[in-house]
Amino acid sequence: RIGSATSLSSAIINNRLQELVKLFKERTEKVKEKLTDPDVTSDDESPTASPIAAPVPPPGGKPEGDKLVGDEHYCEMLCCTLNYGPWLGRLKNYQFPSSIDPLTNLMYVLWLFFVVMAWNWNCWLIPVRWAFPYQTPSNIYCWLAVDYLCDLIYLLDILVFQTRLQFVQGGDIITDKKAMKENYLRSQRFKMDVVCLLPLDFFYFKVGVNPLLRFPRCLKYMAFFEFNNRLEAILSKAYIYRVIRTTAYLLYSLHVNSCLYYWASAYEGLGSTTWVYDGEGNSYIRCYYWAVKTLITIGGLPDPKTLFEIIFQLLNYFTGVFAFSVMIGQMRDVVGAATAGQTYYRSCMDSTIKYMNFYKIPKPVQNRVKTWYEYTWHSQGMLDESELLVQLPDKMRLDIAIDVNYNIVSKVALFQGCDRQMIFDMLKRLRSVVYLPNDYVCKKGEIGREMYIIQAGQVQVLGGPDGKTVLVTLKAGSVFGEISLLAAGGGNRRTANVIAHGFANLFILDKKDLNEILVHYPESQKLLRKKAKKMLKNNNKPEDKKGARGESLIIPPKADTPKLFQAALAATGRMGGKGPLAQLRWRLKELKMMQV
């Protein structure tokens, strides 16, 4: 029992000693790496969060922090608890900005929406109230209430928003209150806004509530076009809004024509001739139907009888042909702009198919080419991303590349510790390539000239005697082939086959591009070459039969004694001499005993 306990204790001590030795080795390696590469960060040097004193809970209650997190957003009423959300507190503490960026401020776009709604109220309902008998003494106050609400929105737009809009002068963004106010007062927009709010309503006391006196309110069209530009800039599919807006133009022209037709009918007398409106049914629907048939020139309308009716109908026909042709042309432009990318894709696809048929390319190859076109278009929305980015300035291309690729490239062990600006320059050189299922990304033995970063999809590393055994599967965010960028002297050959497992989107960095970048960053070049040598050395260490790496022996094996020397020693032993050879022979025997 004592022996078993002793052996157990010695085993535990031995394991603990091995763990300590392993920890000391790791610590030594970290210190050594820190001395050779000052840019490598250490775990011990990571910043720690400064301690913050915990809030003292009120007497008999929960801590203040918990109250802010949970109880602040709840309102207890009777037997239920209502969550009113944190937005109410933010709304109470909201402060109106002193200056507004009209290009990026979403609050300003929302305000323009209300201004445009007020403008549409005037544009659509002023003609209706003027022509049709819908404004009566019984509902006049409802119409006036909405009218003056729209006037209040116009006035707030002038006093609150337009005087706070930032503008560019000499390349600088002006945010000074006085300068912004003066810029608005000198603009054409201010003059039109003042004309829109002309107080013609005072004539109501003399001529009655006539909607035509509110016609200047329709001159606030600049807000409508500004709202269109801002809304199209933030929509992902702006062409849908353009189609809706063009359709609204057509409907509004029909709306105005129907109002004019009812006014002409009332001027001639309802039902006085076969051409005018007879006064039966819903007046607006009947007049709108007549306007549609007239402007679209469907035909089947009764012939005008009087001179007034003939002139009115001729003007209607001319206006209808012009307006309808303009609407069709604008709709064609909108649809053409929306499908321009699809048209380009079909054109490239058709040209490629025509080329392959001309040279009699095999059908399996043609099918793979078609599959590549379809997948690339549906996954990216374009065939080549560089065609889009080449139009942007260099700074904007860098910003987009950082947002898309920096998180992946910064995790590559080869580039850790390098100059940050060098990595930024490298991001702009990355190319996006799509691989089809079972496509070879690289083959064993070929010269490696690229590094690959998996953006989406998976790739498989193949090996084994037959070269078809899956060694590992790399997923999105993985990197391979980075050693080939800096290896030299035959070390840049691929050591395994890599194929795409399904569709794979990869970023590729060429060796030529990296060398052009490293010319301007000599320190990063030295660091990269040192890391590449270290990685190559780790990959090329020999392994013994058991699969472990070879280790140096403390006592090297003794070389065999030469045969001539052995014969001399044997002769000395037979002669029983006491010379130097006899002493040497005796010394060799002692060494053999020590080895045993």
Side-chain angles (χ1 to χ4, degrees):
R1 291 180 181 177
I2 295 176
S4 62
T6 304
S7 62
L8 181 60
S9 301
S10 63
I12 294 175
I13 294 173
N14 194 14
N15 292 336
R16 180 57 181 164
L17 287 174
Q18 289 180 2
E19 292 178 0
L20 290 174
V21 170
K22 183 178 179 181
L23 292 175
F24 278 123
K25 285 184 177 180
E26 292 179 356
R27 179 63 179 171
T28 305
E29 289 293 332
K30 288 182 179 179
V31 174
K32 183 180 178 181
E33 183 70 20
K34 182 65 178 177
L35 292 175
T36 56
D37 185 5
D39 295 326
V40 176
T41 58
S42 175
D43 297 337
D44 299 336
E45 298 176 359
S46 58
T48 57
S50 58
I52 301 176
V56 180
K62 294 194 297 182
E64 241 178 78
D66 298 340
K67 184 179 180 182
L68 289 175
V69 173
D71 296 345
E72 185 184 6
H73 308 323
Y74 286 87
C75 177
E76 294 183 0
M77 181 180 293
L78 299 179
C79 60
C80 60
T81 302
L82 301 178
N83 183 0
Y84 59 85
W87 59 270
L88 188 58
R90 292 198 299 266
L91 185 62
K92 292 180 180 178
N93 300 328
Y94 179 76
Q95 294 182 355
F96 199 81
S98 59
S99 63
I100 300 174
D101 185 2
L103 301 179
T104 59
N105 196 315
L106 296 180
M107 182 193 67
Y108 180 64
V109 178
L110 180 62
W111 172 253
L112 285 178
F113 171 75
F114 290 109
V115 176
V116 169
M117 292 298 295
W119 178 75
N120 275 280
W121 167 270
N122 293 315
C123 291
W124 285 79
L125 293 180
I126 286 177
V128 172
R129 294 160 60 186
W130 166 71
F132 292 91
Y134 291 153
Q135 180 176 297
T136 60
S138 59
N139 60 15
I140 186 65
Y141 296 105
C142 297
W143 291 104
L144 292 178
V146 181
D147 286 344
Y148 293 130
L149 177 62
C150 295
D151 292 349
L152 177 62
I153 294 176
Y154 279 19
L155 187 62
L156 289 176
D157 183 58
I158 295 175
L159 299 178
V160 179
F161 284 88
Q162 296 300 322
T163 56
R164 285 178 166 85
L165 292 184
Q166 302 173 5
F167 66 98
V168 179
Q169 184 178 18
D172 297 331
I173 300 177
I174 306 301
T175 58
D176 181 68
K177 292 183 179 180
K178 184 178 180 181
M180 291 186 295
K181 189 174 182 179
E182 292 177 353
N183 179 69
Y184 173 62
L185 295 178
R186 292 194 303 265
S187 64
Q188 184 71 21
R189 177 80 171 265
F190 172 72
K191 300 174 183 178
M192 296 299 299
D193 291 344
V194 172
V195 173
C196 289
L197 289 178
L198 287 178
L200 301 181
D201 301 43
F202 289 108
F203 289 99
Y204 286 172
F205 297 103
K206 187 174 183 179
V207 300
V209 181
N210 189 348
L212 286 181
L213 294 175
R214 294 186 54 83
F215 180 76
R217 306 295 191 272
C218 299
L219 298 179
K220 201 175 178 62
Y221 60 90
M222 290 186 178
F224 173 70
F225 291 112
E226 184 182 6
F227 174 72
N228 292 334
N229 296 333
R230 301 291 176 262
L231 188 62
E232 290 179 4
I234 63 177
L235 290 178
S236 59
K237 296 182 178 179
Y239 63 88
I240 297 178
Y241 174 72
R242 296 190 190 107
V243 172
I244 296 175
R245 185 182 62 201
T246 305
T247 305
Y249 290 160
L250 178 61
L251 296 178
Y252 182 74
S253 62
L254 296 173
H255 168 79
V256 173
N257 194 28
S258 63
C259 295
L260 292 175
Y261 175 66
Y262 186 87
W263 169 81
S265 300
Y267 178 78
E268 288 284 303
L270 298 180
S272 59
T273 63
T274 57
W275 182 83
V276 299
Y277 169 60
D278 55 5
E280 297 179 359
N282 189 295
S283 57
Y284 181 77
I285 298 298
R286 292 293 185 94
C287 294
Y288 200 90
Y289 173 74
W290 182 90
V292 171
K293 295 182 69 175
T294 303
L295 286 184
I296 305 180
T297 63
I298 296 176
L301 295 172
D303 295 332
K305 304 299 182 181
T306 64
L307 178 63
F308 175 80
E309 295 175 356
I310 292 174
I311 295 176
F312 186 89
Q313 189 70 354
L314 287 175
L315 294 176
N316 241 340
Y317 279 140
F318 288 138
T319 306
V321 171
F322 176 75
F324 196 66
S325 61
V326 170
M327 296 300 172
I328 291 179
Q330 189 171 3
M331 188 69 72
R332 182 200 61 188
D333 295 338
V334 170
V335 175
T339 59
Q342 185 75 18
T343 304
Y344 174 73
Y345 158 70
R346 294 305 314 174
S347 176
C348 294
M349 185 83 163
D350 295 341
S351 301
T352 305
I353 293 175
K354 183 179 179 180
Y355 174 84
M356 292 188 297
N357 290 334
F358 178 79
Y359 285 100
K360 299 180 181 179
I361 305 297
K363 286 296 181 181
V365 178
Q366 293 192 22
N367 293 334
R368 293 183 66 82
V369 172
K370 294 176 184 178
T371 304
W372 180 89
Y373 267 105
E374 293 178 0
Y375 176 78
T376 304
W377 174 256
H378 290 298
S379 62
Q380 300 180 172
M382 61 189 70
L383 297 178
D384 189 4
E385 295 179 353
S386 61
E387 294 182 358
L388 174 65
L389 299 178
V390 74
Q391 303 173 2
L392 300 177
D394 189 70
K395 179 62 173 62
M396 292 185 180
R397 289 205 305 269
L398 176 60
D399 293 341
I400 294 176
I402 291 174
D403 293 334
V404 176
N405 307 327
Y406 182 74
N407 289 335
I408 298 177
V409 176
S410 60
K411 297 177 183 178
V412 181
L414 186 64
F415 300 123
Q416 290 181 358
C418 294
D419 194 321
R420 187 181 181 89
Q421 188 61 40
M422 188 215 76
I423 297 181
F424 288 165
D425 292 344
M426 189 177 62
L427 292 177
K428 295 184 292 185
R429 303 295 186 98
L430 293 177
R431 294 184 295 108
S432 178
V433 179
V434 175
Y435 287 89
L436 302 183
N438 299 323
D439 271 355
Y440 276 91
V441 180
C442 58
K443 292 185 178 182
K444 182 178 180 180
E446 68 179 9
I447 303 298
R449 299 183 181 89
E450 304 91 6
M451 180 191 74
Y452 301 92
I453 303 173
I454 303 177
Q455 180 190 16
Q458 299 178 358
V459 299
Q460 292 179 339
V461 181
L462 305 182
D466 56 350
K468 297 182 180 179
T469 305
V470 179
L471 302 179
V472 66
T473 300
L474 303 177
K475 299 182 180 181
S478 301
V479 180
F480 60 96
E482 66 272 21
I483 302 180
S484 300
L485 292 180
L486 296 170
N492 57 346
R493 290 189 177 272
R494 305 296 187 188
T495 57
N497 296 327
V498 180
I499 65 171
H501 181 64
F503 292 95
N505 291 50
L506 306 181
F507 286 122
I508 296 179
L509 176 63
D510 290 333
K511 186 174 183 178
K512 179 182 177 182
D513 294 336
L514 181 62
N515 291 335
E516 292 177 357
I517 295 173
L518 291 178
V519 172
H520 307 285
Y521 304 95
E523 296 298 329
S524 297
Q525 185 177 14
K526 294 178 182 178
L527 179 62
L528 287 177
R529 294 194 183 279
K530 181 169 57 177
K531 288 188 175 184
K533 290 180 181 179
K534 184 176 179 180
M535 297 173 73
L536 280 173
K537 183 179 179 181
N538 293 336
N539 292 338
N540 295 332
K541 282 185 178 180
E543 297 184 356
D544 57 12
K545 295 180 181 179
K546 295 182 181 180
R549 297 189 179 275
E551 298 179 354
S552 59
L553 298 177
I554 298 176
I555 302 177
K558 183 177 68 69
D560 295 337
T561 306
K563 293 182 180 180
L564 182 60
F565 192 55
Q566 290 179 2
L569 290 177
T572 305
R574 287 194 300 267
M575 293 173 60
K578 297 182 180 181
L581 289 177
Q583 294 179 3
L584 186 58
R585 184 171 181 271
W586 175 77
R587 183 60 178 168
L588 288 175
K589 284 183 179 181
E590 285 187 351
L591 288 175
K592 287 183 179 180
M593 293 299 295
M594 289 174 60
Q595 288 182 358
V596 173

